[in-house]
mmCIF file of all heavy atoms in Angstrom:
data_model
loop_
_atom_site.group_PDB
_atom_site.id
_atom_site.type_symbol
_atom_site.label_atom_id
_atom_site.label_comp_id
_atom_site.label_asym_id
_atom_site.label_seq_id
_atom_site.Cartn_x
_atom_site.Cartn_y
_atom_site.Cartn_z
ATOM 1 N N LEU K 486 -27.408 -54.255 32.405
ATOM 2 C CA LEU K 486 -26.894 -55.263 31.415
ATOM 3 C C LEU K 486 -27.939 -56.079 30.928
ATOM 4 O O LEU K 486 -27.823 -56.602 29.717
ATOM 5 C CB LEU K 486 -26.009 -56.241 32.303
ATOM 6 C CG LEU K 486 -24.695 -55.616 32.776
ATOM 7 C CD1 LEU K 486 -23.979 -56.416 33.749
ATOM 8 C CD2 LEU K 486 -23.759 -55.387 31.523
ATOM 9 N N LEU K 487 -29.064 -56.367 31.577
ATOM 10 C CA LEU K 487 -30.068 -57.270 31.116
ATOM 11 C C LEU K 487 -31.381 -56.739 30.677
ATOM 12 O O LEU K 487 -32.156 -57.316 29.976
ATOM 13 C CB LEU K 487 -30.480 -58.325 32.263
ATOM 14 C CG LEU K 487 -29.345 -59.125 32.920
ATOM 15 C CD1 LEU K 487 -29.807 -59.957 34.077
ATOM 16 C CD2 LEU K 487 -28.688 -60.012 31.859
ATOM 17 N N GLY K 488 -31.495 -55.393 30.910
ATOM 18 C CA GLY K 488 -32.857 -54.798 30.698
ATOM 19 C C GLY K 488 -33.227 -54.426 29.230
ATOM 20 O O GLY K 488 -34.289 -54.302 28.917
ATOM 21 N N ARG K 489 -32.132 -54.303 28.352
ATOM 22 C CA ARG K 489 -32.458 -53.809 27.034
ATOM 23 C C ARG K 489 -33.454 -54.752 26.257
ATOM 24 O O ARG K 489 -34.461 -54.142 25.631
ATOM 25 C CB ARG K 489 -31.176 -53.590 26.298
ATOM 26 C CG ARG K 489 -31.271 -53.019 24.820
ATOM 27 C CD ARG K 489 -30.109 -52.635 24.129
ATOM 28 N NE ARG K 489 -30.269 -52.042 22.929
ATOM 29 C CZ ARG K 489 -29.257 -51.490 22.108
ATOM 30 N NH1 ARG K 489 -28.014 -51.699 22.549
ATOM 31 N NH2 ARG K 489 -29.547 -50.964 21.003
ATOM 32 N N ALA K 490 -33.120 -55.949 26.211
ATOM 33 C CA ALA K 490 -34.013 -56.877 25.446
ATOM 34 C C ALA K 490 -35.387 -57.022 25.911
ATOM 35 O O ALA K 490 -36.396 -57.300 25.238
ATOM 36 C CB ALA K 490 -33.348 -58.267 25.301
ATOM 37 N N THR K 491 -35.519 -56.762 27.263
ATOM 38 C CA THR K 491 -36.862 -56.884 27.803
ATOM 39 C C THR K 491 -37.541 -55.473 28.059
ATOM 40 O O THR K 491 -38.534 -55.523 28.793
ATOM 41 C CB THR K 491 -36.607 -57.606 29.231
ATOM 42 O OG1 THR K 491 -35.605 -57.001 30.043
ATOM 43 C CG2 THR K 491 -36.231 -59.039 28.978
ATOM 44 N N ARG K 492 -37.068 -54.528 27.499
ATOM 45 C CA ARG K 492 -37.648 -53.089 27.545
ATOM 46 C C ARG K 492 -37.690 -52.510 28.980
ATOM 47 O O ARG K 492 -38.534 -51.872 29.212
ATOM 48 C CB ARG K 492 -38.959 -53.250 26.897
ATOM 49 C CG ARG K 492 -39.005 -53.711 25.383
ATOM 50 C CD ARG K 492 -38.526 -52.620 24.487
ATOM 51 N NE ARG K 492 -38.404 -53.039 23.132
ATOM 52 C CZ ARG K 492 -39.437 -52.957 22.299
ATOM 53 N NH1 ARG K 492 -40.681 -52.611 22.644
ATOM 54 N NH2 ARG K 492 -39.224 -53.329 20.942
ATOM 55 N N VAL K 493 -36.690 -52.869 29.705
ATOM 56 C CA VAL K 493 -36.582 -52.184 31.058
ATOM 57 C C VAL K 493 -35.373 -51.299 31.145
ATOM 58 O O VAL K 493 -34.225 -51.752 30.830
ATOM 59 C CB VAL K 493 -36.429 -53.280 32.232
ATOM 60 C CG1 VAL K 493 -36.420 -52.567 33.602
ATOM 61 C CG2 VAL K 493 -37.666 -54.225 32.161
ATOM 62 N N HIS K 494 -35.608 -49.986 31.367
ATOM 63 C CA HIS K 494 -34.450 -49.093 31.165
ATOM 64 C C HIS K 494 -34.191 -48.324 32.489
ATOM 65 O O HIS K 494 -35.120 -48.302 33.359
ATOM 66 C CB HIS K 494 -34.886 -48.078 30.135
ATOM 67 C CG HIS K 494 -35.626 -48.611 28.944
ATOM 68 N ND1 HIS K 494 -34.876 -49.315 28.043
ATOM 69 C CD2 HIS K 494 -36.866 -48.554 28.424
ATOM 70 C CE1 HIS K 494 -35.718 -49.702 27.037
ATOM 71 N NE2 HIS K 494 -36.898 -49.197 27.255
ATOM 72 N N LEU K 495 -32.951 -47.830 32.618
ATOM 73 C CA LEU K 495 -32.747 -46.918 33.766
ATOM 74 C C LEU K 495 -32.551 -45.531 33.037
ATOM 75 O O LEU K 495 -32.000 -45.341 32.038
ATOM 76 C CB LEU K 495 -31.335 -47.271 34.306
ATOM 77 C CG LEU K 495 -31.228 -48.618 35.094
ATOM 78 C CD1 LEU K 495 -29.742 -48.913 35.457
ATOM 79 C CD2 LEU K 495 -32.033 -48.453 36.371
ATOM 80 N N CYS K 496 -32.990 -44.461 33.845
ATOM 81 C CA CYS K 496 -32.763 -43.190 33.476
ATOM 82 C C CYS K 496 -32.137 -42.464 34.750
ATOM 83 O O CYS K 496 -32.899 -42.302 35.703
ATOM 84 C CB CYS K 496 -34.026 -42.424 33.025
ATOM 85 S SG CYS K 496 -33.828 -40.648 32.706
ATOM 86 N N LEU K 497 -30.788 -42.257 34.682
ATOM 87 C CA LEU K 497 -30.139 -41.839 35.920
ATOM 88 C C LEU K 497 -29.645 -40.349 35.812
ATOM 89 O O LEU K 497 -29.129 -39.984 34.746
ATOM 90 C CB LEU K 497 -28.797 -42.675 36.114
ATOM 91 C CG LEU K 497 -29.116 -44.273 36.128
ATOM 92 C CD1 LEU K 497 -27.840 -44.935 36.223
ATOM 93 C CD2 LEU K 497 -29.943 -44.594 37.315
ATOM 94 N N ILE K 498 -29.947 -39.627 36.800
ATOM 95 C CA ILE K 498 -29.592 -38.258 36.763
ATOM 96 C C ILE K 498 -28.587 -37.937 38.052
ATOM 97 O O ILE K 498 -28.893 -38.361 39.203
ATOM 98 C CB ILE K 498 -30.902 -37.280 36.980
ATOM 99 C CG1 ILE K 498 -31.764 -37.586 35.834
ATOM 100 C CG2 ILE K 498 -30.434 -35.814 36.974
ATOM 101 C CD1 ILE K 498 -32.963 -38.551 36.245
ATOM 102 N N SER K 499 -27.475 -37.342 37.711
ATOM 103 C CA SER K 499 -26.605 -37.016 38.804
ATOM 104 C C SER K 499 -25.620 -35.880 38.504
ATOM 105 O O SER K 499 -25.489 -35.540 37.204
ATOM 106 C CB SER K 499 -25.673 -38.281 39.071
ATOM 107 O OG SER K 499 -24.767 -38.128 40.141
ATOM 108 N N GLN K 500 -25.033 -35.237 39.422
ATOM 109 C CA GLN K 500 -24.087 -34.187 39.218
ATOM 110 C C GLN K 500 -22.878 -34.701 38.456
ATOM 111 O O GLN K 500 -22.172 -34.073 37.735
ATOM 112 C CB GLN K 500 -23.715 -33.426 40.580
ATOM 113 C CG GLN K 500 -25.059 -32.509 41.122
ATOM 114 C CD GLN K 500 -24.466 -31.659 42.151
ATOM 115 O OE1 GLN K 500 -23.339 -31.190 42.188
ATOM 116 N NE2 GLN K 500 -25.439 -31.224 43.017
ATOM 117 N N ARG K 501 -22.550 -35.927 38.855
ATOM 118 C CA ARG K 501 -21.269 -36.558 38.203
ATOM 119 C C ARG K 501 -21.544 -38.035 38.148
ATOM 120 O O ARG K 501 -22.342 -38.583 38.916
ATOM 121 C CB ARG K 501 -20.037 -36.234 38.903
ATOM 122 C CG ARG K 501 -19.828 -36.767 40.265
ATOM 123 C CD ARG K 501 -18.443 -36.495 40.859
ATOM 124 N NE ARG K 501 -18.304 -37.301 42.037
ATOM 125 C CZ ARG K 501 -18.485 -36.694 43.385
ATOM 126 N NH1 ARG K 501 -19.035 -35.525 43.404
ATOM 127 N NH2 ARG K 501 -18.272 -37.466 44.391
ATOM 128 N N PHE K 502 -20.865 -38.727 37.320
ATOM 129 C CA PHE K 502 -21.047 -40.241 37.147
ATOM 130 C C PHE K 502 -19.678 -40.903 37.310
ATOM 131 O O PHE K 502 -19.293 -41.791 36.447
ATOM 132 C CB PHE K 502 -21.461 -40.548 35.833
ATOM 133 C CG PHE K 502 -23.094 -40.408 35.848
ATOM 134 C CD1 PHE K 502 -23.685 -39.292 35.170
ATOM 135 C CD2 PHE K 502 -23.958 -41.257 36.382
ATOM 136 C CE1 PHE K 502 -25.035 -39.100 35.119
ATOM 137 C CE2 PHE K 502 -25.259 -41.138 36.373
ATOM 138 C CZ PHE K 502 -25.838 -40.025 35.849
ATOM 139 N N ASP K 503 -18.942 -40.537 38.390
ATOM 140 C CA ASP K 503 -17.717 -41.356 38.764
ATOM 141 C C ASP K 503 -18.026 -42.766 39.325
ATOM 142 O O ASP K 503 -19.208 -43.131 39.393
ATOM 143 C CB ASP K 503 -16.793 -40.549 39.584
ATOM 144 C CG ASP K 503 -17.405 -40.267 40.926
ATOM 145 O OD1 ASP K 503 -18.397 -40.786 41.260
ATOM 146 O OD2 ASP K 503 -16.722 -39.533 41.761
ATOM 147 N N HIS K 504 -17.019 -43.420 39.604
ATOM 148 C CA HIS K 504 -17.221 -44.933 40.068
ATOM 149 C C HIS K 504 -17.878 -44.977 41.453
ATOM 150 O O HIS K 504 -18.344 -45.982 41.838
ATOM 151 C CB HIS K 504 -15.863 -45.645 40.034
ATOM 152 C CG HIS K 504 -14.906 -45.226 41.137
ATOM 153 N ND1 HIS K 504 -14.140 -44.113 41.100
ATOM 154 C CD2 HIS K 504 -14.568 -45.691 42.352
ATOM 155 C CE1 HIS K 504 -13.391 -43.868 42.108
ATOM 156 N NE2 HIS K 504 -13.731 -44.898 42.935
ATOM 157 N N THR K 505 -17.863 -43.884 42.174
ATOM 158 C CA THR K 505 -18.503 -43.877 43.408
ATOM 159 C C THR K 505 -19.968 -43.528 43.362
ATOM 160 O O THR K 505 -20.805 -43.770 44.399
ATOM 161 C CB THR K 505 -17.806 -42.830 44.323
ATOM 162 O OG1 THR K 505 -18.089 -41.425 43.853
ATOM 163 C CG2 THR K 505 -16.348 -43.049 44.554
ATOM 164 N N THR K 506 -20.340 -43.049 42.218
ATOM 165 C CA THR K 506 -21.843 -42.657 41.991
ATOM 166 C C THR K 506 -22.579 -44.084 41.424
ATOM 167 O O THR K 506 -23.662 -44.389 41.927
ATOM 168 C CB THR K 506 -21.978 -41.609 41.041
ATOM 169 O OG1 THR K 506 -21.215 -40.541 41.488
ATOM 170 C CG2 THR K 506 -23.410 -41.209 40.806
ATOM 171 N N ILE K 507 -21.993 -44.637 40.374
ATOM 172 C CA ILE K 507 -22.581 -45.714 39.788
ATOM 173 C C ILE K 507 -21.550 -46.700 39.439
ATOM 174 O O ILE K 507 -20.333 -46.246 39.164
ATOM 175 C CB ILE K 507 -23.530 -45.489 38.612
ATOM 176 C CG1 ILE K 507 -22.760 -44.762 37.530
ATOM 177 C CG2 ILE K 507 -24.796 -44.801 38.985
ATOM 178 C CD1 ILE K 507 -23.512 -44.637 36.284
ATOM 179 N N PRO K 508 -21.687 -48.010 39.299
ATOM 180 C CA PRO K 508 -20.566 -48.914 38.829
ATOM 181 C C PRO K 508 -20.310 -48.511 37.356
ATOM 182 O O PRO K 508 -21.190 -48.018 36.568
ATOM 183 C CB PRO K 508 -21.270 -50.279 38.750
ATOM 184 C CG PRO K 508 -22.362 -50.123 39.800
ATOM 185 C CD PRO K 508 -22.935 -48.858 39.708
ATOM 186 N N VAL K 509 -19.129 -48.679 36.974
ATOM 187 C CA VAL K 509 -18.525 -48.323 35.558
ATOM 188 C C VAL K 509 -19.353 -49.077 34.618
ATOM 189 O O VAL K 509 -19.684 -48.598 33.549
ATOM 190 C CB VAL K 509 -17.080 -48.570 35.513
ATOM 191 C CG1 VAL K 509 -16.630 -48.405 34.044
ATOM 192 C CG2 VAL K 509 -16.138 -47.794 36.420
ATOM 193 N N SER K 510 -19.789 -50.349 34.809
ATOM 194 C CA SER K 510 -20.431 -51.129 33.900
ATOM 195 C C SER K 510 -21.847 -50.517 33.580
ATOM 196 O O SER K 510 -22.326 -50.685 32.483
ATOM 197 C CB SER K 510 -20.793 -52.629 34.453
ATOM 198 O OG SER K 510 -21.493 -52.540 35.725
ATOM 199 N N VAL K 511 -22.508 -49.775 34.581
ATOM 200 C CA VAL K 511 -23.803 -49.140 34.323
ATOM 201 C C VAL K 511 -23.560 -48.023 33.309
ATOM 202 O O VAL K 511 -24.379 -47.759 32.404
ATOM 203 C CB VAL K 511 -24.284 -48.682 35.616
ATOM 204 C CG1 VAL K 511 -25.749 -47.895 35.328
ATOM 205 C CG2 VAL K 511 -24.713 -49.895 36.561
ATOM 206 N N ARG K 512 -22.486 -47.226 33.559
ATOM 207 C CA ARG K 512 -22.248 -46.068 32.638
ATOM 208 C C ARG K 512 -21.928 -46.598 31.265
ATOM 209 O O ARG K 512 -22.269 -45.928 30.297
ATOM 210 C CB ARG K 512 -21.075 -45.332 33.260
ATOM 211 C CG ARG K 512 -20.780 -43.953 32.544
ATOM 212 C CD ARG K 512 -19.703 -43.197 33.287
ATOM 213 N NE ARG K 512 -18.395 -43.789 33.040
ATOM 214 C CZ ARG K 512 -17.388 -43.759 33.895
ATOM 215 N NH1 ARG K 512 -17.551 -43.214 35.100
ATOM 216 N NH2 ARG K 512 -16.305 -44.457 33.706
ATOM 217 N N GLU K 513 -21.263 -47.679 31.152
ATOM 218 C CA GLU K 513 -20.903 -48.224 29.814
ATOM 219 C C GLU K 513 -22.026 -48.756 29.062
ATOM 220 O O GLU K 513 -22.002 -48.793 27.856
ATOM 221 C CB GLU K 513 -19.857 -49.267 30.035
ATOM 222 C CG GLU K 513 -18.454 -48.777 30.418
ATOM 223 C CD GLU K 513 -17.349 -49.717 30.606
ATOM 224 O OE1 GLU K 513 -17.674 -50.966 30.725
ATOM 225 O OE2 GLU K 513 -16.212 -49.449 30.658
ATOM 226 N N GLN K 514 -23.089 -49.203 29.788
ATOM 227 C CA GLN K 514 -24.318 -49.669 29.069
ATOM 228 C C GLN K 514 -25.218 -48.581 28.666
ATOM 229 O O GLN K 514 -26.085 -48.805 27.862
ATOM 230 C CB GLN K 514 -25.089 -50.593 30.126
ATOM 231 C CG GLN K 514 -24.419 -51.958 30.209
ATOM 232 C CD GLN K 514 -24.264 -52.771 28.959
ATOM 233 O OE1 GLN K 514 -25.154 -52.846 28.247
ATOM 234 N NE2 GLN K 514 -22.968 -53.289 28.854
ATOM 235 N N ALA K 515 -25.022 -47.300 29.170
ATOM 236 C CA ALA K 515 -25.947 -46.224 28.798
ATOM 237 C C ALA K 515 -25.726 -45.852 27.306
ATOM 238 O O ALA K 515 -24.528 -45.635 26.878
ATOM 239 C CB ALA K 515 -25.733 -45.018 29.746
ATOM 240 N N ASN K 516 -26.668 -45.839 26.562
ATOM 241 C CA ASN K 516 -26.519 -45.339 25.128
ATOM 242 C C ASN K 516 -27.086 -44.016 24.752
ATOM 243 O O ASN K 516 -27.026 -43.625 23.603
ATOM 244 C CB ASN K 516 -27.137 -46.400 24.223
ATOM 245 C CG ASN K 516 -28.517 -46.445 24.170
ATOM 246 O OD1 ASN K 516 -29.168 -46.223 25.282
ATOM 247 N ND2 ASN K 516 -29.134 -46.831 23.113
#
Side-chain angles (χ1 to χ4, degrees):
L486 290 167
L487 304 175
R489 183 173 186 175
T491 54
R492 300 286 175 84
V493 179
H494 320 288
L495 293 169
C496 179
L497 307 176
I498 303 98
S499 182
Q500 291 193 24
R501 68 174 188 269
F502 281 104
D503 62 6
H504 70 280
T505 65
T506 305
I507 59 171
V509 174
S510 60
V511 175
R512 191 175 68 211
E513 290 177 343
Q514 288 299 310
N516 70 330

